[in-house]
Amino acid sequence: MTKFVPPSLGLSSFSCPHCGAYTHQTWFQILIEHFPKETKPSLTICDDNSHKIAASIKDPQARKDAVEFFARLEQNRLTFYGDDHNHYSKWYMVNASLSRCYTCEAFAVWIEDKIVYPINNAEIIAHEDMPGEIKEDFNEAALIVDRSPRGAAALLRLSIQKLMPRLGQTGKDLNADIRALVQKGLGPDLAQAMDILRVIGNNAVHPGQIDLKDNSATARKLFEVLNLIVERLISTPKKVQALFEGLPSNALAQIKDRDNNS
């Protein structure tokens, strides 16, 4: 995991509240103007139809702009749409600004000196390779960990269960899934990490020997455990695979022949 630098108003680099990367931030002021007459705010969403419409645009530049816009919108609900032309506005927002992450290109919204979007715990950041649906539970748990350590632990137990299908398991019975992974060669340290989340998460929901009611310190450790599991089982294999695929083609062919003949 990269080092953590808390987000701070005007700082040129800090840990992104979206992806967690410690990277450069670009700052934007917010210009405001009236909607055109008879025009009201509306919600802009991205779905399969949006991509089809964008891809069907005949003008090459307009099609490229639309495709890129919906790709950004799908990744981050708060994004931008514009071109290289100048826009003018008589009004400027005061004590409201935007920062944009160089790594993931997502925006953060600031009111005064606080981030109001995304809403998360800036001290607890999900691993950058954590799947999106699991990251949502992770961030929700981070928001409540000090107010409800038991609720946070339960969400993190749910997160590890949701991770199981990505590891080739059913995701229906966490204990059985861990056992199956151990039988397939999962290291004892990772099995123990999963059992930590399983047991403490279970005790958070069902009365047991572990009482997290006023123990946010223990609950906070669980975030580190989940990030460790993601690093070892998702991030590391991905990095190794990328390096492997970068080997010369003749070396890859020799390795394939070796494995086929073994």
Side-chain angles (χ1 to χ4, degrees):
M1 296 291 289
T2 55
K3 69 175 181 177
F4 174 73
V5 175
S8 180
L9 185 67
L11 202 62
S12 59
S13 296
F14 53 75
S15 297
C16 173
H18 286 278
C19 70
Y22 171 62
T23 188
H24 177 72
Q25 301 287 333
T26 302
W27 289 92
F28 298 87
Q29 59 184 342
I30 302 175
L31 309 180
I32 60 175
E33 61 182 1
H34 290 289
F35 277 100
K37 190 175 181 180
E38 305 302 329
T39 302
K40 302 297 182 183
S42 61
L43 181 64
T44 302
I45 62 173
C46 180
D47 54 24
D48 292 340
N49 195 47
S50 304
H51 291 294
K52 292 177 182 177
I53 293 173
S56 68
I57 297 174
K58 293 183 178 180
D59 180 75
Q61 185 59 51
R63 181 172 62 250
K64 179 176 181 292
D65 290 344
V67 168
E68 291 177 350
F69 167 71
F70 283 113
R72 292 195 303 269
L73 184 63
E74 188 172 38
Q75 184 69 25
N76 299 288
R77 287 180 298 166
L78 181 70
T79 186
F80 69 93
Y81 184 80
D83 52 34
D84 293 330
H85 300 295
N86 292 322
H87 295 275
Y88 298 95
S89 174
K90 296 179 181 179
W91 296 355
Y92 294 80
M93 291 292 291
V94 177
N95 291 329
S97 53
L98 302 175
S99 59
R100 189 185 188 206
C101 173
Y102 176 81
T103 299
C104 70
E105 300 186 335
F107 285 95
V109 181
W110 296 70
I111 300 299
E112 296 183 325
D113 61 347
K114 300 290 189 300
I115 293 178
V116 297
Y117 172 83
I119 301 174
N120 59 23
N121 188 328
E123 298 177 358
I124 304 174
I125 297 179
H127 194 288
E128 58 189 346
D129 287 328
M130 186 176 293
E133 72 276 13
I134 299 171
K135 188 178 292 186
E136 288 181 5
D137 291 333
F138 183 102
N139 289 336
E140 183 179 346
L143 277 177
I144 66 172
V145 64
D146 292 324
R147 299 192 305 274
S148 177
R150 290 184 297 179
L155 280 169
L156 292 176
R157 186 217 177 274
L158 177 63
S159 297
I160 192 64
Q161 187 161 354
K162 285 184 176 181
L163 186 64
M164 286 300 163
R166 291 178 175 267
L167 302 178
Q169 305 307 310
T170 66
K172 296 178 180 179
D173 184 329
L174 184 54
N175 192 42
D177 285 344
I178 295 173
R179 180 173 63 247
L181 288 172
V182 170
Q183 291 171 348
K184 292 179 179 180
L186 182 71
D189 57 337
L190 289 175
Q192 290 170 3
M194 292 179 179
D195 278 323
I196 289 170
L197 292 171
R198 179 182 66 83
V199 172
I200 295 181
N202 283 343
N203 276 267
V205 178
H206 307 291
Q209 296 180 352
I210 303 174
D211 185 6
L212 288 179
K213 186 174 181 180
D214 299 309
N215 191 353
S216 62
T218 296
R220 281 173 170 265
K221 291 294 183 182
L222 301 181
F223 294 93
E224 299 177 21
V225 173
L226 183 54
N227 274 334
L228 171 66
I229 293 170
V230 172
E231 170 67 26
R232 295 277 294 278
L233 295 181
I234 294 181
S235 186
T236 297
K238 184 173 74 171
K239 293 173 184 176
V240 171
Q241 183 65 28
L243 289 171
F244 180 78
E245 291 175 353
L247 294 176
S249 57
N250 61 333
L252 291 172
Q254 291 173 358
I255 293 171
K256 184 177 180 179
D257 289 340
R258 178 202 66 193
D259 292 345
N260 288 338
N261 294 326
S262 61

